[in-house]
Amino acid sequence: MDRRERQTSPARRSLKRKLEQDFEEKPDRKVSIVESGATQQDLVQDIRAQIDILNSKFSSDETDRAAAKTASHALVEFAKNEEIVSLIVDNGAVPALVEHLQTPPQLTNAQIPYEHEVEKECAFALGLLAVKPEHQQIIVDTGALPHLVSLLKQYKNGGNSRALSGVIRRAADAITNLAHENANIKTRVRVEDGIPPLVELLKFVDVKVQRAAAGALRTLAFKNDENKKLIVECNALPTLVLMLRSEDASVHFEAVGVIGNLVHSSPSIKKEVILAGALQPVIGLLSSSCSESKREAALLLGQFAAADSNSKVHIVQRGAVRPLIEMLQSPDSQLKEMSAFALGRLAQDTHNQAGIAQDGGILPLLKLLDSKNGSLQHNAAFALYGLADNEDNVADLVRVGGVQKLQDGEFTVQPTKDCVARTLKRLEEKVHGRVLNHLLYLLRVADRAVKRRVTLALAHLCAPDDCKTIFIDNNGLELLLGLLESTSVKQREESSVALYKLATKATSLSPMDAAPPSPTQQVYLGEQFVNNPTLSDVTFVVEGKQFYAHRICLLASSDAFRAMFDGGYKEKNAKDVEIPNIRWNVFELMMRSELCILP
């Protein structure tokens, strides 16, 4: 499964969410051009006025710094409105904002006025402008990256002021949006030495800074092997594993996202992550109140499970199966998809297959086959394919109607259709020995609904040599014929198809036993040949009653009777043929359907 830049639109939505949280800190409201009544010309004048201030106030003078802070904050407020972001860029805001990412020259050794405040607002504004992909390269080409990386490194100067935390966080957020789905800029961040300070910031005391640094690393790791390698070399894994255990949902969501992007298509990093102790905290996230973390954790477990058989076993042993099955029943389609993905990978191990079924995984997976979401449907089908490989699961799959669900499903993509076909073939190969005995036991003792499902399934799955045992000795044929009288159209159709399948199996006997193919088409005879003693040459005994028949009529009208009387069976020359385990009226109905076209 492809891991998107998370889940980005969430990498992009992730930053937007952070920015929106910051908007809530300040109750200013975004106002559209139309709502405010402002013309574009008015907006251009206001924007240019702020840019002019920035261009003329790059100094350490307190008055200039105050003016630059006000102007950069005004551009932030403008940039919150996506309708006018391009207008801000087109009027030259980027060079002015980039210049103010730097600390202006100082004339004295005194502390610079509004330290970090102007830089924070400019980084914030650039992060908002970078939400649009077409602005990313403009900002980078103007020289923003070295200054943003320099801001990240401000933590080395010591201190833990709110202003310091704010400027570092805004710099990390800006890098996240600049690098989003842009391979060139991801590489540029590494070249500018931006990854080591981001890894160090995972340990920063301010949780918002931790989250911002993790968000940036998450984006930089996506589909960039060199970045992944450097992040691991900078010893990020121990801290990320600790962050997985954070009680702050926004922190463990970003941490599991970073790890997910690191291990994607990187088997060696996957092993390092497991060795770093990530497995148990990731399983713990399956029970998180944060649906995004649960989704990411399930996806990550699916990736772990694909690594090797030991990982599959360890994941199940540590308690992942039950929360994954619970997620299958969530109203959130992404949660269902990711849990089905994880269970599908876990179900490729024999012992896991039985455990998933034992914990109630079969029914919710079958229900997902009804989904119109092709990816969700395929993941569920793949999981069921794994479960069908275990003999202990076959009877349960049949008992709950799994065979009918697989046969009747409307599958949207060819790989899913192929997977379902392989699952049915796998089930067919399992129906013998103790599996068949279990199903025959259900035919004897289960309720009527289960008996119906078992009989219909066996008509499709059983071997020809087992037909007599199932459908004569254990009343399976009686059940199928009884369904022909059902008030349910679906049940009548299912029974008709099953009977046709049985008739087909009757003609697939071994060459020694099989009758030669009939040179003529099947003939349907009239009512006068049904239970008529005149010139009868064979009698069927059903419930002690005699049913008169004519061999030539049976040979002409039925493939099944042709095999009986013209093949190698003992009934070939018998005068009386006893038919056990079937009611008289059901047998009579069957003979009418064989010998004549019913009105």
Side-chain angles (χ1 to χ4, degrees):
M1 169 165 291
D2 183 29
R3 175 181 284 275
R4 292 179 292 265
E5 197 163 349
R6 237 22 199 204
Q7 258 209 28
T8 123
S9 298
R12 182 75 36 139
R13 286 203 301 266
S14 177
L15 177 57
K16 279 184 171 291
R17 185 181 64 252
K18 295 182 213 173
L19 296 177
E20 286 164 2
Q21 289 169 349
D22 291 316
F23 295 167
E24 292 170 5
E25 295 173 6
K26 299 173 183 179
D28 298 332
R29 187 169 62 95
K30 293 185 283 185
V31 181
S32 71
I33 298 173
V34 174
E35 184 182 353
S36 67
T39 65
Q40 183 161 320
Q41 185 176 359
D42 294 334
L43 286 168
V44 168
Q45 288 178 351
D46 288 344
I47 291 168
R48 284 181 177 171
Q50 307 309 321
I51 294 170
D52 289 342
I53 292 172
L54 289 177
N55 286 332
S56 63
K57 302 296 182 182
F58 185 63
S59 82
S60 57
D61 177 78
E62 183 173 358
T63 303
D64 288 347
R65 289 284 287 176
K69 178 185 174 184
T70 301
S72 56
H73 179 72
L75 289 175
V76 166
E77 296 303 315
F78 282 127
K80 291 175 183 177
N81 188 334
E82 289 189 31
E83 296 179 35
I84 59 174
V85 164
S86 295
L87 197 62
I88 297 169
V89 173
D90 293 343
N91 279 277
V94 171
L97 291 166
V98 168
E99 182 180 31
H100 280 269
L101 292 174
Q102 310 166 72
T103 303
Q106 290 180 262
L107 300 177
T108 68
N109 292 328
Q111 182 178 1
I112 189 168
Y114 302 102
E115 186 177 23
H116 306 310
E117 295 287 348
V118 179
E119 294 83 355
K120 179 189 75 172
E121 295 292 345
C122 291
F124 192 1
L126 289 169
L128 290 168
L129 298 179
V131 168
K132 289 201 171 184
E134 60 268 27
H135 298 158
Q136 293 171 335
Q137 201 63 48
I138 294 173
I139 295 169
V140 170
D141 289 345
T142 307
L145 275 182
H147 303 314
L148 290 170
V149 171
S150 179
L151 293 176
L152 294 178
K153 296 177 180 179
Q154 291 294 317
Y155 76 92
K156 294 181 179 181
N157 297 328
N160 183 31
S161 68
R162 181 175 178 181
L164 177 63
S165 297
V167 72
I168 293 174
R169 179 160 52 98
R170 293 305 179 202
D173 286 346
I175 288 173
T176 299
N177 260 20
L178 287 169
H180 172 66
E181 294 185 356
N182 191 313
N184 176 57
I185 294 177
K186 289 177 186 178
T187 299
R188 290 278 299 274
V189 174
R190 183 180 74 249
V191 171
E192 295 289 348
D193 200 33
I195 288 177
L198 285 168
V199 171
E200 286 298 316
L201 288 169
L202 295 176
K203 304 174 185 176
F204 198 78
V205 65
D206 189 319
V207 170
K208 291 182 179 179
V209 172
Q210 295 175 23
R211 186 180 68 207
L217 291 170
R218 176 185 194 155
T219 296
L220 295 170
F222 182 68
K223 291 186 177 180
N224 191 304
D225 290 339
E226 291 301 316
N227 283 0
K228 291 180 185 181
K229 181 180 177 183
L230 182 56
I231 291 169
V232 174
E233 287 176 353
C234 289
N235 202 32
L237 293 182
T239 307
L240 288 169
V241 170
L242 290 173
M243 291 171 70
L244 292 175
R245 299 181 183 274
S246 171
E247 295 182 2
D248 188 322
S250 64
V251 172
H252 59 60
F253 166 66
E254 294 293 359
V256 74
V258 179
I259 292 173
N261 283 353
L262 287 173
V263 305
H264 180 59
S265 302
S266 300
S268 60
I269 294 179
K270 194 178 298 181
K271 291 179 181 178
E272 288 192 58
V273 168
I274 293 174
L275 288 173
L279 194 54
Q280 196 61 52
V282 170
I283 292 172
L285 289 181
L286 296 178
S287 302
S288 168
S289 59
C290 174
S291 61
E292 291 176 319
S293 292
K294 291 167 72 171
R295 180 191 67 211
E296 291 286 339
L299 177 56
L300 187 52
L301 289 174
Q303 292 175 313
F304 287 159
D308 54 64
S309 57
N310 285 336
S311 295
K312 294 181 179 68
V313 173
H314 292 160
I315 291 168
V316 172
Q317 288 175 338
R318 291 167 182 256
V321 170
R322 287 191 178 180
L324 285 171
I325 291 173
E326 290 174 5
M327 287 166 62
L328 290 176
Q329 301 166 75
S330 166
D332 186 326
S333 62
Q334 286 190 328
L335 278 181
K336 290 188 286 193
E337 181 183 344
M338 292 303 103
S339 58
F341 169 74
L343 288 168
R345 272 63 193 167
L346 294 172
Q348 305 314 305
D349 175 86
T350 301
H351 297 295
N352 291 352
Q353 293 158 0
I356 292 169
Q358 182 65 31
D359 282 338
I362 292 177
L363 268 178
L365 285 169
L366 287 170
K367 289 179 180 178
L368 294 184
L369 295 181
D370 293 331
S371 171
K372 302 303 180 185
N373 180 325
S375 180
L376 173 55
Q377 193 182 64
H378 182 73
N379 282 317
F382 184 68
L384 289 165
Y385 171 72
L387 298 184
D389 191 41
N390 192 305
E391 289 187 351
D392 292 329
N393 294 341
V394 174
D396 286 335
L397 277 162
V398 171
R399 180 176 55 81
V400 299
V403 173
Q404 289 78 34
K405 198 80 169 179
L406 291 165
Q407 290 173 329
D408 299 342
E410 296 181 3
F411 304 111
T412 57
V413 295
Q414 190 60 43
T416 305
K417 296 176 184 177
D418 295 340
C419 184
V420 167
R422 289 196 298 271
T423 303
L424 288 168
K425 182 64 177 176
R426 179 171 273 184
L427 290 170
E428 183 178 347
E429 293 168 352
K430 303 288 182 186
V431 178
H432 58 80
R434 67 186 181 93
V435 173
L436 180 58
N437 287 337
H438 188 173
L439 293 170
L440 291 176
Y441 175 75
L442 292 176
L443 271 182
R444 294 193 298 272
V445 305
D447 61 47
R448 185 167 182 80
V450 172
K451 287 181 178 179
R452 172 174 58 81
R453 295 178 194 133
V454 172
T455 306
L456 291 170
L458 285 173
H460 293 273
L461 301 179
C462 75
D465 291 345
D466 294 322
C467 286
K468 182 175 182 298
T469 300
I470 298 166
F471 295 97
I472 301 300
D473 298 344
N474 285 275
N475 299 328
L477 183 60
E478 182 179 353
L479 281 165
L480 289 178
L481 292 170
L483 289 175
L484 292 175
E485 299 176 306
S486 171
T487 57
S488 166
V489 174
K490 180 173 175 57
Q491 288 186 9
R492 293 200 300 270
E493 289 176 349
E494 289 175 337
S495 178
S496 299
V497 172
L499 287 167
Y500 174 79
K501 188 71 176 177
L502 283 178
T504 304
K505 289 178 187 289
T507 63
S508 63
L509 303 169
S510 67
M512 179 180 292
D513 292 337
S518 173
T520 59
Q521 286 187 320
Q522 194 173 36
V523 176
Y524 290 94
L525 303 171
E527 179 76 23
Q528 66 270 29
F529 292 97
V530 179
N531 199 17
N532 188 341
T534 304
L535 298 179
S536 169
D537 57 356
V538 63
T539 303
F540 294 102
V541 181
V542 181
E543 292 186 333
K545 299 179 184 178
Q546 292 181 317
F547 190 100
Y548 301 100
H550 308 78
R551 292 177 190 269
I552 188 65
C553 297
L554 296 172
L555 287 168
S557 64
S558 169
D559 289 337
F561 283 119
R562 188 179 305 115
M564 177 183 287
F565 293 122
D566 203 19
Y569 290 101
K570 66 180 182 179
E571 290 87 355
K572 179 175 181 179
N573 299 312
K575 175 66 176 174
D576 296 318
V577 178
E578 185 172 353
I579 307 296
N581 302 318
I582 188 169
R583 296 199 309 270
W584 167 268
N585 62 333
V586 173
F587 181 78
E588 183 182 30
L589 178 63
M590 180 190 75
M591 295 298 286
R592 289 183 183 279
S593 67
E594 291 283 0
L595 295 172
C596 61
I597 301 176
L598 296 177

mmCIF file of all heavy atoms in Angstrom, residues 133-155:
data_model
loop_
_atom_site.group_PDB
_atom_site.id
_atom_site.type_symbol
_atom_site.label_atom_id
_atom_site.label_comp_id
_atom_site.label_asym_id
_atom_site.label_seq_id
_atom_site.Cartn_x
_atom_site.Cartn_y
_atom_site.Cartn_z
ATOM 1 N N PRO A 133 1.353 25.198 -4.124
ATOM 2 C CA PRO A 133 2.573 24.608 -4.682
ATOM 3 C C PRO A 133 3.354 25.545 -5.595
ATOM 4 O O PRO A 133 4.585 25.510 -5.612
ATOM 5 C CB PRO A 133 2.051 23.384 -5.449
ATOM 6 C CG PRO A 133 0.761 23.037 -4.782
ATOM 7 C CD PRO A 133 0.171 24.343 -4.353
ATOM 8 N N GLU A 134 2.652 26.391 -6.346
ATOM 9 C CA GLU A 134 3.346 27.261 -7.287
ATOM 10 C C GLU A 134 4.201 28.318 -6.597
ATOM 11 O O GLU A 134 5.045 28.965 -7.226
ATOM 12 C CB GLU A 134 2.340 27.932 -8.232
ATOM 13 C CG GLU A 134 1.293 28.807 -7.574
ATOM 14 C CD GLU A 134 0.015 28.068 -7.226
ATOM 15 O OE1 GLU A 134 0.086 26.839 -7.002
ATOM 16 O OE2 GLU A 134 -1.048 28.717 -7.167
ATOM 17 N N HIS A 135 3.981 28.505 -5.289
ATOM 18 C CA HIS A 135 4.773 29.504 -4.561
ATOM 19 C C HIS A 135 6.007 28.900 -3.891
ATOM 20 O O HIS A 135 6.890 29.646 -3.447
ATOM 21 C CB HIS A 135 3.914 30.175 -3.486
ATOM 22 C CG HIS A 135 2.747 30.923 -4.049
ATOM 23 N ND1 HIS A 135 1.628 31.206 -3.290
ATOM 24 C CD2 HIS A 135 2.509 31.438 -5.283
ATOM 25 C CE1 HIS A 135 0.753 31.866 -4.038
ATOM 26 N NE2 HIS A 135 1.271 32.008 -5.253
ATOM 27 N N GLN A 136 6.066 27.575 -3.791
ATOM 28 C CA GLN A 136 7.168 26.936 -3.063
ATOM 29 C C GLN A 136 8.530 27.319 -3.647
ATOM 30 O O GLN A 136 9.433 27.760 -2.924
ATOM 31 C CB GLN A 136 7.001 25.413 -3.106
ATOM 32 C CG GLN A 136 5.802 24.903 -2.333
ATOM 33 C CD GLN A 136 5.554 23.420 -2.585
ATOM 34 O OE1 GLN A 136 5.945 22.877 -3.627
ATOM 35 N NE2 GLN A 136 4.910 22.761 -1.645
ATOM 36 N N GLN A 137 8.673 27.130 -4.966
ATOM 37 C CA GLN A 137 9.975 27.375 -5.585
ATOM 38 C C GLN A 137 10.344 28.856 -5.557
ATOM 39 O O GLN A 137 11.519 29.208 -5.415
ATOM 40 C CB GLN A 137 9.978 26.856 -7.029
ATOM 41 C CG GLN A 137 11.371 26.602 -7.587
ATOM 42 C CD GLN A 137 12.099 25.502 -6.813
ATOM 43 O OE1 GLN A 137 11.566 24.440 -6.548
ATOM 44 N NE2 GLN A 137 13.348 25.795 -6.435
ATOM 45 N N ILE A 138 9.348 29.726 -5.669
ATOM 46 C CA ILE A 138 9.610 31.169 -5.602
ATOM 47 C C ILE A 138 10.252 31.522 -4.271
ATOM 48 O O ILE A 138 11.252 32.245 -4.198
ATOM 49 C CB ILE A 138 8.293 31.966 -5.796
ATOM 50 C CG1 ILE A 138 7.744 31.753 -7.209
ATOM 51 C CG2 ILE A 138 8.513 33.458 -5.529
ATOM 52 C CD1 ILE A 138 6.365 32.355 -7.432
ATOM 53 N N ILE A 139 9.692 30.975 -3.193
ATOM 54 C CA ILE A 139 10.194 31.277 -1.852
ATOM 55 C C ILE A 139 11.603 30.723 -1.673
ATOM 56 O O ILE A 139 12.494 31.405 -1.134
ATOM 57 C CB ILE A 139 9.228 30.719 -0.790
ATOM 58 C CG1 ILE A 139 7.878 31.445 -0.873
ATOM 59 C CG2 ILE A 139 9.813 30.853 0.617
ATOM 60 C CD1 ILE A 139 6.770 30.811 -0.047
ATOM 61 N N VAL A 140 11.832 29.501 -2.137
ATOM 62 C CA VAL A 140 13.154 28.889 -1.989
ATOM 63 C C VAL A 140 14.185 29.624 -2.844
ATOM 64 O O VAL A 140 15.311 29.902 -2.395
ATOM 65 C CB VAL A 140 13.095 27.392 -2.361
ATOM 66 C CG1 VAL A 140 14.507 26.795 -2.456
ATOM 67 C CG2 VAL A 140 12.279 26.629 -1.321
ATOM 68 N N ASP A 141 13.812 29.953 -4.068
ATOM 69 C CA ASP A 141 14.756 30.649 -4.958
ATOM 70 C C ASP A 141 15.109 32.037 -4.437
ATOM 71 O O ASP A 141 16.159 32.596 -4.789
ATOM 72 C CB ASP A 141 14.166 30.751 -6.371
ATOM 73 C CG ASP A 141 14.131 29.407 -7.090
ATOM 74 O OD1 ASP A 141 14.818 28.476 -6.611
ATOM 75 O OD2 ASP A 141 13.413 29.279 -8.098
ATOM 76 N N THR A 142 14.252 32.591 -3.605
ATOM 77 C CA THR A 142 14.539 33.904 -3.021
ATOM 78 C C THR A 142 15.515 33.789 -1.852
ATOM 79 O O THR A 142 15.959 34.803 -1.307
ATOM 80 C CB THR A 142 13.214 34.565 -2.575
ATOM 81 O OG1 THR A 142 12.293 34.565 -3.676
ATOM 82 C CG2 THR A 142 13.424 36.005 -2.147
ATOM 83 N N GLY A 143 15.832 32.568 -1.445
ATOM 84 C CA GLY A 143 16.843 32.375 -0.403
ATOM 85 C C GLY A 143 16.299 32.117 0.978
ATOM 86 O O GLY A 143 17.000 32.352 1.975
ATOM 87 N N ALA A 144 15.072 31.619 1.094
ATOM 88 C CA ALA A 144 14.460 31.454 2.414
ATOM 89 C C ALA A 144 15.064 30.311 3.216
ATOM 90 O O ALA A 144 15.171 30.400 4.455
ATOM 91 C CB ALA A 144 12.954 31.243 2.269
ATOM 92 N N LEU A 145 15.459 29.216 2.546
ATOM 93 C CA LEU A 145 15.830 28.011 3.298
ATOM 94 C C LEU A 145 16.995 28.215 4.275
ATOM 95 O O LEU A 145 16.902 27.803 5.435
ATOM 96 C CB LEU A 145 16.150 26.861 2.330
ATOM 97 C CG LEU A 145 14.950 26.047 1.844
ATOM 98 C CD1 LEU A 145 15.413 24.911 0.945
ATOM 99 C CD2 LEU A 145 14.144 25.494 3.012
ATOM 100 N N PRO A 146 18.113 28.821 3.861
ATOM 101 C CA PRO A 146 19.206 28.995 4.836
ATOM 102 C C PRO A 146 18.780 29.768 6.076
ATOM 103 O O PRO A 146 19.203 29.454 7.192
ATOM 104 C CB PRO A 146 20.267 29.752 4.037
ATOM 105 C CG PRO A 146 19.959 29.482 2.602
ATOM 106 C CD PRO A 146 18.484 29.338 2.528
ATOM 107 N N HIS A 147 17.940 30.778 5.878
ATOM 108 C CA HIS A 147 17.487 31.582 7.022
ATOM 109 C C HIS A 147 16.539 30.788 7.924
ATOM 110 O O HIS A 147 16.593 30.913 9.149
ATOM 111 C CB HIS A 147 16.808 32.864 6.537
ATOM 112 C CG HIS A 147 17.685 33.704 5.644
ATOM 113 N ND1 HIS A 147 18.994 33.985 5.953
ATOM 114 C CD2 HIS A 147 17.432 34.326 4.462
ATOM 115 C CE1 HIS A 147 19.522 34.740 5.006
ATOM 116 N NE2 HIS A 147 18.588 34.957 4.081
ATOM 117 N N LEU A 148 15.666 29.970 7.306
ATOM 118 C CA LEU A 148 14.754 29.152 8.106
ATOM 119 C C LEU A 148 15.539 28.125 8.920
ATOM 120 O O LEU A 148 15.240 27.891 10.099
ATOM 121 C CB LEU A 148 13.733 28.454 7.192
ATOM 122 C CG LEU A 148 12.691 29.365 6.551
ATOM 123 C CD1 LEU A 148 11.896 28.614 5.483
ATOM 124 C CD2 LEU A 148 11.731 29.940 7.594
ATOM 125 N N VAL A 149 16.551 27.516 8.301
ATOM 126 C CA VAL A 149 17.380 26.559 9.032
ATOM 127 C C VAL A 149 18.128 27.251 10.170
ATOM 128 O O VAL A 149 18.258 26.716 11.275
ATOM 129 C CB VAL A 149 18.368 25.865 8.066
ATOM 130 C CG1 VAL A 149 19.390 25.033 8.852
ATOM 131 C CG2 VAL A 149 17.611 24.986 7.072
ATOM 132 N N SER A 150 18.583 28.464 9.911
ATOM 133 C CA SER A 150 19.259 29.239 10.962
ATOM 134 C C SER A 150 18.323 29.496 12.131
ATOM 135 O O SER A 150 18.734 29.448 13.295
ATOM 136 C CB SER A 150 19.777 30.550 10.382
ATOM 137 O OG SER A 150 20.416 31.331 11.368
ATOM 138 N N LEU A 151 17.062 29.758 11.834
ATOM 139 C CA LEU A 151 16.084 29.964 12.910
ATOM 140 C C LEU A 151 15.886 28.685 13.716
ATOM 141 O O LEU A 151 15.705 28.733 14.946
ATOM 142 C CB LEU A 151 14.754 30.446 12.335
ATOM 143 C CG LEU A 151 14.753 31.851 11.707
ATOM 144 C CD1 LEU A 151 13.397 32.158 11.086
ATOM 145 C CD2 LEU A 151 15.096 32.909 12.754
ATOM 146 N N LEU A 152 15.896 27.527 13.043
ATOM 147 C CA LEU A 152 15.775 26.259 13.768
ATOM 148 C C LEU A 152 16.893 26.104 14.782
ATOM 149 O O LEU A 152 16.705 25.550 15.868
ATOM 150 C CB LEU A 152 15.824 25.077 12.791
ATOM 151 C CG LEU A 152 14.684 24.917 11.782
ATOM 152 C CD1 LEU A 152 14.961 23.711 10.888
ATOM 153 C CD2 LEU A 152 13.340 24.758 12.484
ATOM 154 N N LYS A 153 18.067 26.592 14.437
ATOM 155 C CA LYS A 153 19.247 26.412 15.284
ATOM 156 C C LYS A 153 19.313 27.397 16.444
ATOM 157 O O LYS A 153 20.260 27.346 17.250
ATOM 158 C CB LYS A 153 20.511 26.515 14.433
ATOM 159 C CG LYS A 153 20.627 25.403 13.386
ATOM 160 C CD LYS A 153 21.863 25.578 12.510
ATOM 161 C CE LYS A 153 21.972 24.465 11.470
ATOM 162 N NZ LYS A 153 23.168 24.636 10.598
ATOM 163 N N GLN A 154 18.321 28.270 16.542
ATOM 164 C CA GLN A 154 18.316 29.239 17.628
ATOM 165 C C GLN A 154 18.241 28.562 19.001
ATOM 166 O O GLN A 154 18.607 29.154 20.016
ATOM 167 C CB GLN A 154 17.136 30.207 17.477
ATOM 168 C CG GLN A 154 17.247 31.169 16.298
ATOM 169 C CD GLN A 154 18.392 32.153 16.474
ATOM 170 O OE1 GLN A 154 18.603 32.699 17.556
ATOM 171 N NE2 GLN A 154 19.154 32.369 15.417
ATOM 172 N N TYR A 155 17.752 27.290 19.016
ATOM 173 C CA TYR A 155 17.655 26.595 20.307
ATOM 174 C C TYR A 155 19.034 26.429 20.952
ATOM 175 O O TYR A 155 19.159 26.290 22.177
ATOM 176 C CB TYR A 155 16.997 25.218 20.118
ATOM 177 C CG TYR A 155 17.917 24.175 19.506
ATOM 178 C CD1 TYR A 155 18.676 23.332 20.310
ATOM 179 C CD2 TYR A 155 18.038 24.047 18.123
ATOM 180 C CE1 TYR A 155 19.534 22.388 19.764
ATOM 181 C CE2 TYR A 155 18.876 23.111 17.563
ATOM 182 C CZ TYR A 155 19.625 22.274 18.384
ATOM 183 O OH TYR A 155 20.464 21.350 17.831
#
